Amino acid sequence: MTSTSKPALTAERARHVHRRRVGPRRPGGVYTSGTDGETYVVLAVHYGADARAALGHPMGWAVTVRTADGRERTHCTPWDPRRDRVRGDLCPRCLGPLRRHPPGGPCPARV
């Protein structure tokens, strides 16, 4: 390694460095983007080499999401607490309102 090259960004170091950009997003959580109003469930949060592989270009972090229409994509749009929202009121399987789910029953969209 020369004095001008950077050490590899390990997954642990990337997790620490990019914590603010990922924000509260965790696998299985539901969120609404303030940019385009799209609601999505997080399938995975990637760091380090895993993020680079998932995106196909150098990046220290990324999230893979599924939208209500079933599209899956991986991106590195930073969390903005002024516009983005955590959606604890929506089902992570169907992205529909939890209040419509029968108590203890299956997700209505999956029946």
Side-chain angles (χ1 to χ4, degrees), residues 14-94:
R15 187 175 287 109
H16 175 75
V17 169
H18 299 297
R19 181 179 32 218
R20 289 169 113 177
R21 291 181 181 109
V22 173
R25 293 177 287 193
R26 302 291 179 266
V30 180
Y31 310 90
T32 297
S33 167
T35 304
D36 57 15
E38 191 162 57
T39 298
Y40 60 91
V41 61
V42 172
L43 302 176
V45 179
H46 311 276
Y47 293 100
D50 186 37
R52 289 186 291 282
L55 285 168
H57 60 84
M59 198 61 182
W61 69 277
V63 292
T64 298
V65 302
R66 179 180 38 82
T67 57
D69 62 6
R71 287 180 300 127
E72 290 185 15
R73 71 179 194 279
T74 301
H75 66 86
C76 52
T77 305
W79 179 263
D80 184 341
R82 295 168 300 189
R83 65 170 195 236
D84 300 327
R85 293 180 43 208
V86 175
R87 298 298 305 266
D89 61 324
L90 300 178
C91 172
R93 292 194 67 189
C94 71

